[in-house]
Amino acid sequence: MGKIKILWTTMISTMLLMVACGNEEEASGSKKEDPKLKTEETSAKKETTEKVEETSASQGDNEVLNPNIAEESQGNVEVVYTNKKPKYSHDMDGFKVSVDQYQIVKVTDMNKDFYIEFDDQTEGYVVTAKVTIDNTTEKAMYYSPNFTIQLSNELDYILTDIAFVREEQPKSKIETEISKWAAGEKVSGLVSFTLTNAQFDSLKTVKPKFVIGGGVADNKQYSGSNQEKGIFDFTFSGEQQEATANATKFYPDQLTTGNMADKTMIFEKTDINETQQLDHIKVTLEGVQYAEVTPTEANKVRFSNFGDNGIVALTVKLDLDNQSDAPLSMRNIDSKVVLDNDRGNIFAQGMVEPSEPKEINAGEQGEKYHVFMFRKDEFELFKTFDLEFGPFVGEDGKDLFKGKTLTFALPR
């Protein structure tokens, strides 16, 4: 049989480019036998107990985290949900930002002076989060704390509002310059979001994310800043928290972190751990996930060129160990999947891959996620998948490492 030229990868890249261009900051928050029956049972009981305790702690109680809400709004405040252990922590090369806990309250019968905060409505919701800035580096760093609650996609989000945390926001106790944090300094404070009834109800129709923004630098011009974001599932009720905890954990490509699509796992193998060497770069194939993709309502048009018979996404996780003496750019890697021994090729979809890290410094390690997308009916025709990783392309557009590539046989 002759080669099948699969051209629709270019189409999806073109569509995604309209949204993704100029919005490179995306990440991906998250990475991620005992022969004695008695020990197994003990471990299982302990795990169950810990899960129950954690769930109970997350359910919270009626203690209000932010008394300013009632005082400022003069309204009635009812606690809706408290998460005391969200485990949102984002490490940007030693500059750490975490969310220690957060709480959602409903406010009714408020003073009319606050109607504007809730789109001229007489009631609404406030999310208050206790956050910690921890500069564990050995020099002062610049960072403007920024947090969002992402809704249907990366362009649909709720920003923080200072109305109820004017004096409680995190700020340096040592540095006087705005957004500057002293070496070794650790500071906590509050941030808040105001939501209308409609916005709160919309949380139930999407998979909301809590996003810790990037932008850490060692200079006030923010030159060379670390733009990687921390993206986490945002829970807003006990029922939804349980569903999220039991949900399949997908690799953090932008289909998932950007709420572009829902996924149903077809097959995964996350412990491949095959390592190959490309000059001074060690590349380890960690795992693969194949998932059927259903675009969310807000993103259906982006995938219209895939037809009506379904879409499959293959996400590949690789670890890179840069043992060279120079930074390794991750911006341009022309990888592809070779189908059925050169029957056809599918090229990586950079527009739905995490944009960070942009490079891996000499002597350091980093992750790379590649995403390959198929029409479902065509995907089912192929039997073997071989990842041709590389070549790497330099900033001048020329191939690095003499255009060499590595080939990994992918489980299917």
Side-chain angles (χ1 to χ4, degrees):
M1 183 178 291
K3 293 184 180 180
I4 298 175
K5 295 183 179 179
I6 300 177
L7 302 177
W8 34 265
T9 56
T10 304
M11 299 179 191
I12 187 66
S13 294
T14 302
M15 288 189 295
L16 291 169
L17 179 60
M18 294 185 293
V19 175
C21 186
N23 184 33
E24 294 183 348
E25 301 175 16
E26 195 65 46
S28 182
S30 130
K31 272 179 150 194
K32 34 162 127 355
E33 301 174 352
D34 194 318
K36 295 184 179 180
L37 179 60
K38 183 177 180 181
T39 303
E40 290 177 337
E41 291 175 344
T42 302
S43 177
K45 289 179 180 178
K46 180 180 179 182
E47 182 178 350
T48 302
T49 301
E50 289 176 346
K51 185 174 181 180
V52 171
E53 288 176 350
E54 180 175 335
T55 301
S56 299
S58 296
Q59 297 284 343
D61 48 39
N62 290 323
E63 181 180 353
V64 176
L65 175 63
N66 184 3
N68 289 342
I69 300 172
E71 183 178 342
E72 297 289 338
S73 70
Q74 298 179 16
N76 300 320
V77 175
E78 176 190 358
V79 175
V80 174
Y81 177 73
T82 302
N83 192 334
K84 293 185 177 181
K85 296 181 180 180
K87 297 182 181 179
Y88 301 164
S89 183
H90 184 38
D91 187 344
M92 293 171 279
D93 300 322
F95 191 94
K96 301 177 182 180
V97 182
S98 62
V99 177
D100 307 318
Q101 64 173 304
Y102 64 85
Q103 184 179 76
I104 304 172
V105 301
K106 184 169 185 179
V107 187
T108 56
D109 192 27
M110 68 184 75
N111 188 301
K112 66 179 182 179
D113 289 342
F114 274 83
Y115 288 3
I116 191 171
E117 302 292 337
F118 299 90
D119 197 22
D120 290 329
Q121 297 179 24
T122 60
E123 62 181 39
Y125 294 82
V126 179
V127 179
T128 302
K130 180 183 177 182
V131 302
T132 296
I133 308 293
D134 187 7
N135 181 11
T136 67
T137 72
E138 296 180 351
K139 56 184 175 180
M141 302 294 285
Y142 289 83
Y143 176 72
S144 179
N146 61 100
F147 307 87
T148 58
I149 296 175
Q150 180 179 296
L151 301 175
S152 60
N153 56 50
E154 70 276 12
L155 300 179
D156 181 16
Y157 52 82
I158 300 168
L159 293 168
T160 54
D161 188 318
I162 67 170
F164 301 110
V165 291
R166 297 184 188 278
E167 301 298 326
E168 290 76 20
Q169 299 175 82
K171 49 183 174 290
S172 175
K173 300 183 183 301
I174 300 173
E175 301 289 349
T176 58
E177 195 172 348
I178 294 176
S179 300
K180 186 176 182 180
W181 309 87
E185 183 175 24
K186 185 175 183 179
V187 178
S188 295
L190 299 180
V191 298
S192 68
F193 307 80
T194 53
L195 287 73
T196 64
N197 288 337
Q199 286 176 318
F200 183 78
D201 288 342
S202 73
L203 297 177
K204 305 169 187 177
T205 64
V206 298
K207 293 182 178 178
K209 311 292 183 186
F210 192 101
V211 181
I212 299 176
V216 174
D218 60 3
N219 60 90
K220 66 172 61 178
Q221 291 76 32
Y222 290 90
S223 175
S225 61
N226 184 332
Q227 293 292 334
E228 185 175 2
K229 297 178 180 179
I231 304 176
F232 309 90
D233 290 324
F234 177 66
T235 54
F236 53 87
S237 70
E239 181 180 356
Q240 183 244 0
Q241 174 185 309
E242 184 176 353
T244 299
N246 294 328
T248 303
K249 302 302 180 185
F250 290 103
Y251 287 147
D253 57 38
Q254 291 194 47
L255 295 170
T256 301
T257 61
N259 280 345
M260 296 172 66
D262 294 324
K263 285 183 174 182
T264 302
M265 189 72 77
I266 298 174
F267 169 76
E268 70 173 340
K269 185 172 178 58
T270 57
D271 59 351
I272 301 173
N273 299 324
E274 178 186 346
T275 300
Q276 297 186 36
Q277 187 95 15
L278 182 64
D279 282 9
H280 296 292
I281 311 299
K282 283 187 176 181
V283 181
T284 300
L285 172 64
E286 278 242 339
V288 297
Q289 289 183 340
Y290 297 84
E292 188 167 355
V293 171
T294 304
T296 55
E297 191 65 34
N299 295 282
K300 282 185 177 180
V301 67
R302 304 185 188 187
F303 300 89
S304 58
N305 281 350
F306 282 93
D308 300 323
N309 294 320
I311 306 168
V312 172
L314 161 62
T315 303
V316 180
K317 180 182 180 182
L318 302 119
D319 285 340
L320 281 74
D321 184 358
N322 182 7
Q323 298 180 340
S324 72
D325 57 2
L328 178 66
S329 174
M330 305 293 284
R331 292 175 181 270
N332 301 307
I333 306 176
D334 290 340
S335 298
K336 63 184 178 182
V337 168
V338 180
L339 306 167
D340 289 351
N341 298 317
D342 210 22
R343 183 180 175 188
N345 301 316
I346 296 290
F347 291 90
Q349 294 288 348
M351 296 302 173
V352 293
E353 296 175 354
S355 60
E356 298 290 341
K358 290 183 172 60
E359 67 177 21
I360 300 176
N361 292 326
E364 296 185 2
Q365 298 179 349
E367 295 177 341
K368 174 64 181 176
Y369 291 92
H370 266 323
V371 182
F372 305 88
M373 300 185 66
F374 309 76
R375 294 177 185 269
K376 185 181 178 183
D377 50 359
E378 293 183 348
F379 168 80
E380 293 172 344
L381 297 175
F382 305 118
K383 304 302 180 185
T384 63
F385 289 56
D386 293 299
L387 171 65
E388 189 174 291
F389 184 65
F392 286 80
V393 180
E395 297 298 331
D396 58 1
K398 297 181 180 179
D399 287 345
L400 301 177
F401 314 122
K402 299 180 180 181
K404 296 176 184 177
T405 62
L406 299 175
T407 300
F408 296 91
L410 303 181
R412 168 81 164 83

